Amino acid sequence: MTQTSHTLFDHLLELRTRLLKALLSVLVIFCSMIYFANDIYEYVSKPLLATMPEGGQMIATDVASSFFAPFKLTIVLAVFIAMPYILYQLWSFIAPGLYRKEKRLIAPLMFGSTFLFYSGIAFSYFVVFPLVFSFFTSVAPAGVTIATDISSYLDFVLKLFFAFGIAFEIPIAIILMCWTGFTDPQSLRKKRPYIVVGAFVIGMLLTPPDIISQTLLAIPMLILFEVGVFIAAMQFGDTNDEDIDDADRTD
């Protein structure tokens, strides 16, 4: 009993150490960027400013929003940048309890999830934002001056960053589901029509109410679904759970 309690206490101490290291990495990155907070916000706002008509500008409706909006963006950006190190701390904590075969799979999954999350953010910024903001500014009624509040704009872009970042994790989710035996590539292929409908429904829920951003989220999700199924089929095959168990016994 004493040995078990001591082991659990050691794990809790290690978890606390890993969490503190992760938080410290975010704090260090944040402190190194806070001086450039306004420049960072200006860069993030470029897709909107580029589509505004002549004379259009952003405004700050609250007294403190001109300070808190760049401050909030810098915090979120620090978390994004520190994500590989945060995942490394997570990996270091769980790795001792994994089998060798599991370690070979988890490490690429963590790298792939980070890369896909960054890719989703980049896709939303460089592809989606220019198209969406061009659409919004083009449908403004005559006589309406476009002057977007900086806090509202930040909430909007962060929502899309997270939506596209999470949506781009579909291949990782598929691989994990096939690895755990929850499903298999063959079953996922049979459900393809439902996946298509679901992708557009998710695009409708996670993006602004315009067909452009919904489609720009749904199409990458469908492509990434096919990529995930392809990788899962290469890694695990299209066999059912009983076939996999028999193969493991043979090995």
Side-chain angles (χ1 to χ4, degrees):
M1 180 65 70
T2 304
Q3 181 65 28
T4 302
S5 300
H6 180 71
T7 302
L8 177 60
F9 183 71
D10 287 343
H11 285 306
L12 292 176
L13 284 179
E14 183 182 358
L15 178 60
R16 186 191 67 173
T17 302
R18 299 293 180 186
L19 290 175
L20 288 176
K21 288 181 178 180
L23 291 175
L24 182 61
S25 67
V26 175
L27 180 60
V28 170
I29 295 174
F30 170 75
C31 291
S32 65
M33 295 191 306
I34 187 61
Y35 179 79
F36 306 99
N38 290 336
D39 296 328
I40 294 172
Y41 190 94
E42 181 182 354
Y43 181 80
V44 173
S45 63
K46 279 184 177 180
L48 175 62
L49 295 174
T51 59
M52 279 186 171
E54 185 178 355
Q57 60 182 352
M58 301 183 72
I59 60 175
T61 56
D62 294 331
V63 175
S65 60
S66 59
F67 169 77
F68 282 113
F71 186 86
K72 178 181 177 181
L73 175 60
T74 306
I75 292 177
V76 176
L77 182 60
V79 175
F80 286 171
I81 295 176
M83 191 59 65
Y85 185 76
I86 295 174
L87 291 177
Y88 169 76
Q89 294 300 324
L90 175 63
W91 160 254
S92 299
F93 178 73
I94 66 175
L98 299 176
Y99 294 106
R100 182 178 300 176
K101 183 183 296 186
E102 294 172 334
K103 290 181 180 180
R104 289 200 300 265
L105 182 61
I106 289 294
L109 285 179
M110 286 194 169
F111 173 80
S113 64
T114 304
F115 174 77
L116 289 173
F117 186 77
Y118 286 161
S119 299
I121 293 175
F123 181 82
S124 63
Y125 181 83
F126 292 105
V127 178
V128 179
F129 286 0
L131 295 175
V132 170
F133 296 146
S134 296
F135 171 77
F136 285 157
T137 54
S138 65
V139 297
V144 174
T145 301
I146 299 177
T148 304
D149 177 65
I150 61 174
S151 296
S152 300
Y153 176 78
L154 178 61
D155 293 338
F156 178 85
V157 298
L158 289 182
K159 177 183 177 182
L160 286 186
F161 280 158
F162 279 109
F164 279 86
I166 297 300
F168 271 54
E169 300 290 338
I170 288 177
I172 304 298
I174 291 176
I175 293 172
L176 288 175
M177 287 191 297
C178 293
W179 179 33
T180 57
F182 181 79
T183 186
D184 59 80
Q186 187 175 5
S187 299
L188 290 173
R189 292 193 187 100
K190 293 179 180 179
K191 297 180 176 64
R192 187 177 283 116
Y194 304 100
I195 299 297
V196 173
V197 175
F200 280 91
V201 171
I202 293 174
M204 176 184 65
L205 296 175
L206 295 182
T207 60
D210 67 280
I211 191 63
I212 297 176
S213 57
Q214 294 173 13
T215 303
L216 288 176
L217 179 58
I219 291 178
M221 289 175 63
L222 294 175
I223 296 175
L224 291 169
F225 168 78
E226 298 295 339
V227 172
V229 172
F230 176 76
I231 295 175
M234 291 183 58
Q235 183 70 31
F236 308 107
D238 290 327
T239 56
N240 55 31
D241 294 340
E242 294 180 357
D243 295 334
I244 295 175
D245 291 340
D246 292 340
D248 288 341
R249 295 191 189 98
T250 303
D251 293 338

